Amino acid sequence: MVESAALAAREILTGLHAVMASRGSPQDKLDRVVDIIADAMESEVCSIYVLKEGHLELFATHGLNRDAVHKTRLEMGEGLVGTIAEQMLILNLEEASRHPQFAFRPETGEEHFHSFAGVPIVRRETPIGVLTVQHEDSRKYLDVEIEALQTVAMVLSELLASAGFADGTKGRARDTGPQQLAGLKLVTGMARGRAVFHQPKVTVEHTVAEDIEAERARVYSAFRKMREQIDNNIRDAEFGVGGEHHEILETYKMFAYDEGWSRRINEAIDSGLTAEAAIERVQQRTRARMQEIDDPLLKERMHDLEDLSNRLLRIVSGRVGTAASQGLQEDAILIARNLGPAELLDYDKRRLKGIILQEGSLTAHVTIVARAMGVPMVGKIEDIRHITAEGDEILLDGDHATVTVRPEARTRDDFDQRMETTQARRAEFAANVKKPAETTDGQKVELMVNAGLAEDADHLDAVGAEGIGLFRTEFQFLVAATLPGRESQYKLYKTVLGAAGDKPVVFRTIDIGGDKALPYLDEKDEAENPAMGWRALRLSLDRKALMKAQARALIEAAAGKHLKVMFPMVSEPWEYEEARALFEDQIDWLRGQKRFLPTVIEYGAMLEVPALAEMLDQLLPRLDFLSIGTNDLTQFLFAADRGDPRLADRYDWLSPAILRFLKRIIDQCNAAGTPVRICGEMGGRTLEAMALIGMGLRRFSITPAAMGPIKAMIRSLDAGQAAAQMDELLANPPRDMRRTLAGWAKQNGVILD
Ligand code: PEP
Ligand code: MG
């Protein structure tokens, strides 16, 4: 029985070391390798499959029918072996034939064997083969045995690569023609530049250690250097202390000093691996764990760890530094599997034009940082690192989430033209920044921005915003590793109010739960449809301590100032009342303590749940303002999940149903004299905003990038004419409202983007 992963692997590695150093053909070596592994693991079968010409070919076996060698072939995704390779996963099965992917190959004679375990053999993050063991008895392999197999798989990857056996090991096969790829929109904007790989690819060349103590010393010194780098990075970060970025970097630091991580690397070295191989081995394990985790936030944390692991690997292999440390020589489009926030901050902002991630998600730390830096970013382009070579020309369109690699001249010209137009537009818009948002017939429109980061408040003047109409306080919760305490909330709100100066800021109390789940708030029984689940105000009212802390932080931060608070997802008036009462209790208490209080407090509700629209007569007299969250509202009106890409284009914000619904609310608010604002994405689209102005809406809170186009639209619009047109269209809706409205805008000289 094998006692530990280290021992098991070490025993095998010692054997492999001798094999690798010996003469003989690569095939001979593989034949000996399977014997060694089978022996050490007391396993009846050990086989190696190699990816060759697109198939997984049985290359060597101990225990299966030898005649099947070089004959048995499986497609990627076929059978257990194909599944392991395709999905780069580990299988450990007591009864192989019960697995749904099991494919019986009679020529191998494997019918006697019940248990099965297999691990992928990976090179440069691409599967190049599979290593399997099988047993006659039905039993599960121990974790230590699986660990040993994985370690061996690393060594095999070196052996296969040096023999040039597997596909892709003789240099990556890549398409050299133009390619267009579509991904996930993370940060908007257009960019053009040369491909730069964030990590000049470090491929682990030697996996088996000659001298374990020497390897240990190398890792030790690499850890020291890496921690030093991170500490310096935090010190030098351009972002002010106290902002979210600081918290992100602190989390990052926590990982850098994580003892568990360095211990695992040391264990891998104990098993006989070189320092590089040990780091990669632990990284692979982390990656595998990451794939099992369903929680997006926890996944982000794991990305931080991966980011650090890459850094360590580069330090230890002497290929110090990411592309950032070598300096960007020209306009660059950065390519990475994923990127840590600290790594992004390493780059020269003048040269960094765009970012493409193989992974990436909207709530990732790095996305938040890139947005704050104004660098367009597209995510979820899985093949990017295979298709692109360093230095390739790339066109990145963050608005449409597309990437063109090695574009043809015509595509490039088109792109340049569009980019020029966008830039010219931007310059025009910039000239408008100081001009009022006023229609040609003298109707004033209030334009505020949506925000969520401390830095966002710094740019209000630059974008010509009158304030922040929606401050998503949950962002702070989303980027933190643990629940932000009252003190850190207070600091953030105070910074934001300070930066906004005299301009108003509407703080929305936390809208968490649903798709914005937090790992540290246990929500064990998550509903099937979290958007309609226990989220936002519903959660806050059940977790009063959480809301009280936020109320206190907000009230104290706004001492001597005007505080505007609004509650998300109010479904019935009593929820609003209860939330407001909670705030008022806090005020009373603070007053009793003779604390300095805000001069005025205004309370608002978000209208996101259609039911609330039926109760406005009751609610409006109690409100200081209403804010319509069309992102949620429309998904509930149409019963269409806002996160489902298949429904993304199915229903239109300009559909008569939505417009009529909104018109009723706007009319009712206007009649009651309650200010009403729109803060969903809809308000940031020119045609939609034009319709809303025609329907009597005068207050908008939009994404900052939309400020220019929206203001230009407003300044070219006659609100009176628009109102007459909207009345007519809502009474007798045309078949295609969008087209009709666009036609009307064109006829009337309204500037749309
Ligand atoms: C909305 O739902 O329209 C809204 C503004 O809130 P969020 O997008 O944060 O859910
Ligand atoms: Mg919402």
Side-chain angles (χ1 to χ4, degrees):
M1 176 59 62
V2 192
E3 280 155 30
S4 75
L7 269 182
R10 193 157 175 171
E11 190 184 328
I12 300 171
L13 289 195
T14 312
L16 292 195
H17 191 258
V19 173
M20 307 262 287
S22 69
R23 292 195 185 184
S25 74
Q27 180 66 52
D28 281 349
K29 289 183 183 177
L30 284 184
D31 292 341
R32 283 164 60 198
V33 166
V34 284
D35 291 342
I36 291 171
I37 301 169
D39 247 24
M41 291 190 64
E42 297 164 13
S43 189
E44 278 130 4
V45 178
C46 174
S47 314
I48 295 170
Y49 294 80
V50 177
L51 185 68
K52 199 179 161 201
E53 289 155 15
H55 305 282
L56 289 153
E57 183 174 312
L58 179 64
F59 250 66
T61 186
H62 170 108
L64 292 186
N65 193 344
R66 288 212 177 228
D67 293 343
V69 171
H70 297 303
K71 293 211 178 69
T72 294
R73 287 175 159 210
L74 291 142
E75 301 296 322
M76 278 299 248
E78 185 192 359
L80 301 178
V81 168
T83 306
I84 292 169
E86 187 184 60
Q87 297 178 30
M88 288 212 268
L89 51 69
I90 298 161
L91 285 182
N92 182 2
L93 308 169
E94 249 171 278
E95 192 54 68
S97 59
R98 278 203 217 118
H99 191 280
Q101 296 296 335
F102 180 76
F104 178 57
R105 286 305 166 89
E107 74 274 15
T108 61
E110 64 183 335
E111 61 272 24
H112 314 295
F113 307 106
H114 292 272
S115 50
F116 173 100
V119 299
I121 303 171
V122 178
R123 181 108 180 136
R124 295 185 191 132
E125 296 164 37
T126 315
I128 59 165
V130 173
L131 170 66
T132 65
V133 285
Q134 285 168 277
H135 250 281
E136 229 167 78
D137 339 328
S138 188
R139 72 160 181 109
K140 247 196 160 151
Y141 288 84
L142 302 172
D143 284 351
V144 291
E145 292 173 304
I146 299 289
E147 290 270 318
L149 279 180
Q150 287 180 281
T151 303
V152 173
M154 278 198 79
V155 180
L156 284 176
S157 109
E158 180 187 338
L159 202 157
L160 293 176
S162 63
F165 272 170
D167 290 351
T169 48
K170 291 184 203 150
R172 192 179 302 271
R174 72 179 180 88
D175 195 322
T176 47
Q179 290 260 343
Q180 219 202 33
L181 307 158
L184 175 73
K185 191 198 291 191
L186 294 176
V187 181
T188 56
M190 293 172 81
R192 179 178 156 187
R194 297 267 163 200
V196 170
F197 285 92
H198 171 60
Q199 299 151 12
K201 296 177 183 171
V202 177
T203 308
V204 178
E205 297 301 343
H206 299 293
T207 49
V208 184
E210 299 283 339
D211 175 348
I212 287 183
E213 282 319 308
E215 297 302 316
R216 205 189 300 287
R218 289 175 67 217
V219 155
Y220 182 76
S221 111
F223 257 102
R224 222 186 35 231
K225 268 195 204 137
M226 181 192 66
R227 288 170 181 167
E228 240 171 63
Q229 276 180 9
I230 304 281
D231 292 344
N232 292 343
N233 232 321
I234 291 182
R235 235 194 353 263
D236 302 344
E238 280 176 36
F239 296 97
V241 178
E244 290 82 344
H245 300 298
H246 194 72
E247 283 187 29
I248 293 170
L249 292 173
E250 286 295 338
T251 315
Y252 201 74
K253 179 173 168 177
M254 197 179 76
F255 282 128
Y257 283 87
D258 180 37
E259 287 304 323
W261 182 34
S262 47
R263 195 192 59 240
R264 284 191 290 277
I265 292 176
N266 266 307
E267 281 169 7
I269 291 179
D270 278 344
S271 73
L273 292 177
T274 58
E276 286 90 342
I279 297 167
E280 176 131 317
R281 176 71 200 87
V282 173
Q283 189 175 357
Q284 277 176 1
R285 200 158 51 176
T286 312
R287 217 176 276 146
R289 258 196 299 160
M290 204 165 79
Q291 273 155 5
E292 285 165 18
I293 299 173
D294 230 0
D295 187 322
L297 277 160
L298 221 54
K299 267 195 178 170
E300 297 314 336
R301 299 278 125 69
M302 299 301 262
H303 288 154
D304 292 348
L305 196 54
E306 177 145 351
D307 170 10
L308 284 172
S309 186
N310 292 334
R311 196 179 275 244
L312 194 63
L313 194 56
R314 287 189 302 273
I315 296 174
V316 89
S317 61
R319 271 157 277 188
V320 231
T322 61
S325 64
Q326 287 157 18
L328 297 175
Q329 306 306 323
E330 53 191 338
D331 285 355
I333 304 289
L334 188 64
I335 297 175
R337 176 195 187 91
N338 223 315
L339 208 54
E343 289 189 315
L344 177 53
L345 292 171
D346 277 346
Y347 282 91
D348 175 356
K349 281 185 212 156
R350 287 162 309 174
R351 292 263 162 84
L352 179 64
K353 298 296 171 193
I355 305 166
I356 304 170
L357 298 183
Q358 241 177 310
E359 299 178 352
S361 75
L362 270 168
T363 50
H365 299 158
V366 69
T367 310
I368 294 171
V369 177
R371 204 173 286 137
M373 287 167 70
V375 182
M377 173 151 95
V378 177
K380 290 233 181 322
I381 301 205
E382 276 187 25
D383 291 338
I384 189 70
R385 289 207 295 179
H386 300 253
I387 287 168
T388 317
E390 188 94 31
D392 276 351
E393 186 180 5
I394 293 190
L395 312 176
L396 183 153
D397 182 344
D399 301 338
H400 299 97
T402 58
V403 166
T404 313
V405 184
R406 299 175 296 273
E408 281 173 336
R410 251 192 44 208
T411 322
R412 186 188 309 119
D413 292 348
D414 280 358
F415 186 88
D416 284 351
Q417 241 170 36
R418 273 200 298 136
M419 207 155 125
E420 246 172 59
T421 323
T422 320
Q423 271 159 4
R425 266 269 158 85
R426 239 186 241 146
E428 268 170 44
F429 295 151
N432 273 342
V433 161
K434 294 226 165 350
K435 295 186 186 152
E438 201 173 303
T439 60
T440 55
D441 55 340
Q443 292 282 314
K444 285 203 168 49
V445 178
E446 177 201 85
L447 288 186
M448 296 214 203
V449 284
N450 295 342
L453 298 176
E455 291 75 30
D456 294 342
D458 296 337
H459 311 303
L460 295 182
D461 277 333
V463 296
E466 291 171 60
I468 297 177
L470 163 64
F471 189 87
R472 292 180 161 107
T473 61
E474 66 275 8
F475 272 25
Q476 185 186 23
F477 288 69
L478 287 169
V479 299
T482 53
L483 195 73
R486 181 154 60 86
E487 189 59 24
S488 71
Q489 293 182 50
Y490 165 83
K491 271 195 201 148
L492 170 66
Y493 306 151
K494 202 163 168 60
T495 310
V496 172
L497 284 167
D502 294 336
K503 298 187 168 173
V505 179
V506 181
F507 290 96
R508 168 174 79 182
T509 60
I510 44 176
D511 181 3
I512 46 179
D515 64 331
K516 299 181 206 159
L518 302 181
Y520 45 81
L521 258 194
D522 60 326
E523 292 164 44
K524 292 193 186 72
D525 306 314
E526 190 49 273
E528 284 225 348
N529 188 341
M532 293 196 215
W534 188 60
R535 59 172 278 211
L537 192 58
R538 300 165 179 185
L539 182 151
S540 301
L541 289 177
D542 289 352
R543 293 281 181 105
K544 289 246 168 56
L546 200 69
M547 196 166 189
K548 274 185 195 160
Q550 185 170 36
R552 279 275 299 279
L554 280 167
I555 297 164
E556 289 178 12
K561 294 187 171 154
H562 195 130
L563 175 63
K564 288 170 182 267
V565 188
M566 70 178 175
F567 307 114
M569 285 276 290
V570 178
S571 311
E572 292 201 307
W574 67 264
E575 292 172 331
Y576 167 77
E577 295 297 347
E578 210 171 301
R580 180 177 173 150
L582 185 145
F583 266 74
E584 283 168 348
D585 283 350
Q586 294 304 311
I587 300 230
D588 288 346
W589 189 82
L590 287 167
R591 188 176 289 120
Q593 301 284 308
K594 305 259 178 302
R595 297 284 187 84
F596 194 29
L597 296 173
T599 48
V600 187
I601 305 192
E602 283 184 51
Y603 297 96
M606 283 188 76
L607 195 144
E608 302 183 271
V609 178
L612 195 68
E614 291 301 322
M615 302 306 290
L616 285 184
D617 58 324
Q618 305 294 304
L619 186 65
L620 291 182
R622 295 280 298 145
L623 287 184
D624 295 306
F625 60 92
L626 185 79
S627 197
I628 310 178
T630 44
N631 302 341
D632 276 310
L633 179 65
T634 52
Q635 78 165 338
F636 297 137
L637 276 177
F638 275 126
D641 190 337
R642 77 193 243 190
D644 190 332
R646 291 164 302 187
L647 300 179
D649 301 322
R650 190 158 184 138
Y651 304 105
D652 194 344
W653 274 318
L654 289 177
S655 75
I658 291 185
L659 294 180
R660 283 182 177 179
F661 193 90
L662 292 175
K663 176 84 162 75
R664 266 202 302 142
I665 298 166
I666 296 165
D667 284 350
Q668 215 172 337
C669 289
N670 287 345
T674 308
V676 55
R677 178 179 301 118
I678 201 146
C679 62
E681 293 301 306
M682 177 182 180
R685 309 278 184 100
T686 45
L687 200 58
E688 281 83 341
M690 181 191 87
L692 289 164
I693 290 175
M695 285 154 52
L697 190 80
R698 294 292 179 269
R699 289 180 180 80
F700 290 77
S701 188
I702 58 182
T703 174
M707 281 297 288
I710 293 287
K711 196 183 268 188
M713 183 278 292
I714 292 171
R715 292 178 55 80
S716 61
L717 177 74
D718 183 313
Q721 279 181 11
Q725 178 65 14
M726 285 312 293
D727 280 347
E728 210 179 294
L729 293 178
L730 288 184
N732 290 303
R735 264 183 66 127
D736 188 340
M737 183 69 94
R738 180 169 290 280
R739 260 183 72 181
T740 311
L741 280 173
W744 183 87
K746 202 167 170 199
Q747 248 175 28
N748 289 276
V750 182
I751 300 175
L752 302 174
D753 52 357

